[in-house]
Amino acid sequence: MRRKLAAGNWKMNGVHANLDEVAAMNDAAASADCDVLLCVPATLINAIDDAAPNIIAGAQDCHQNTSGAHTGEISADQICDAGAEYVILGHSERRADNGETNKCVREKTNAAWAAGLKAIVCVGETLDQRKSSNTLDIIGGQMAASIPDMATGENLVVAYEPIWAIGTGLTPTTDEIGEVHDFIRIRLEKRFGEGVGRSVRIVYGGSMNPKNVAEISAVSNVDGGLVGGASLKATDFNTIIKALG
Ligand code: 13P
């Protein structure tokens, strides 16, 4: 039985003054029967433990190298040292803004695992790719090339995030979400064996909000959400936590 995951991605939002929102999420997390995770800017990772002991802290990226001359970058060991348990890798915004390739995401995932972090590897299609019926090919290709061989149910979460649904208020239909999540599950089982393949959590991201969370999380093989905008305010995120847990 996979435990659901309510994960927030704060992106480049939040300063210490916003930690009162996190404290307000802590109570919902305490009584929830799901894992609650906030992937915050690196400057806030350390503060999550103090503000909200029931919420797991996560980061939004790490470098593929362990240390060295990479000005402005942050290593997996460093985010781990700050208190992160998870790291988001290969988010479409980083693939677009920073030119991250599948190979780069794979290297970063290996670096995260070497540091003892759990990786949330993101995959997703553009609107053009969906319209031209290429969604499953794209997702399959991203999974094959971005996810390293040593995946387990403990160290990997796959996030399906259709690029056209991120921050737009648009979402795929529940049938479309189910089709992709079932496909990801089959690919995981084929590559890593049934035991591992069945234990990896597959979360949905892209305009998930308090209104649509119940419907989306009821879809087969949806094991939770990776939530952007609606994870910034406790009023919204607490509703999502309660719906998942
Ligand atoms: P929104 O929930 O704001 O659409 O963002 C989703 C996302 O990118 C999470 O990683």
Side-chain angles (χ1 to χ4, degrees):
M1 199 41 200
R2 294 179 299 271
R3 190 170 161 83
K4 294 235 177 190
L5 175 64
N9 174 8
W10 275 24
K11 309 191 179 185
M12 200 171 69
N13 298 295
V15 291
H16 282 77
N18 302 113
L19 288 172
D20 52 351
E21 291 295 331
V22 179
M25 294 169 190
N26 193 53
D27 291 340
S31 55
D33 193 16
C34 65
D35 290 340
V36 181
L37 164 70
L38 281 180
C39 295
V40 290
T43 49
L44 292 180
I45 293 170
N46 198 264
I48 296 289
D49 277 344
D50 291 340
N54 300 316
I55 295 179
I56 305 164
Q60 301 169 14
D61 181 45
C62 68
H63 199 268
Q64 56 271 44
N65 291 358
T66 50
S67 63
H70 303 287
T71 302
E73 296 288 350
I74 193 159
S75 74
D77 270 339
Q78 288 168 329
I79 56 175
C80 206
D81 183 54
E85 208 176 295
Y86 284 78
V87 59
I88 297 171
L89 294 171
H91 191 283
S92 59
E93 286 153 13
R94 291 204 59 86
R95 290 180 190 256
D97 294 354
N98 300 75
E100 289 191 4
T101 60
N102 288 326
K103 178 174 173 283
C104 166
V105 176
R106 186 185 182 102
E107 288 169 2
K108 287 183 174 207
T109 306
N110 274 321
W113 288 350
L117 291 162
K118 301 169 177 46
I120 302 178
V121 175
C122 302
V123 295
E125 82 286 2
T126 64
L127 193 54
D128 279 351
Q129 288 164 342
R130 175 159 284 279
K131 282 184 177 158
S132 54
S133 303
N134 282 324
T135 299
L136 299 184
D137 280 350
I138 294 295
I139 305 291
Q142 288 172 333
M143 286 180 67
S146 302
I147 301 174
D149 291 332
M150 300 306 288
T152 69
E154 267 295 296
N155 69 14
L156 177 69
V157 174
V158 178
Y160 169 51
E161 296 209 318
I163 295 169
W164 53 275
I166 295 175
T168 57
L170 303 171
T171 53
T173 64
T174 49
D175 280 353
E176 287 168 338
I177 293 173
E179 181 189 31
V180 175
H181 279 241
D182 289 351
F183 172 82
I184 292 172
R185 176 73 60 214
I186 288 165
R187 282 292 163 106
L188 288 170
E189 287 178 5
K190 275 200 179 132
R191 179 161 169 210
F192 300 110
E194 277 189 9
V196 169
R198 279 185 195 160
S199 62
V200 173
R201 289 180 290 188
I202 307 169
V203 299
Y204 170 81
S207 296
M208 185 178 260
N209 61 43
K211 290 206 179 91
N212 62 24
V213 58
E215 191 184 25
I216 292 174
S217 68
V219 174
S220 84
N221 284 311
V222 173
D223 302 313
L226 182 55
V227 186
S231 72
L232 294 172
K233 294 279 175 221
T235 44
D236 288 339
F237 199 48
N238 284 357
T239 308
I240 291 172
I241 292 169
K242 282 181 192 137
L244 289 170

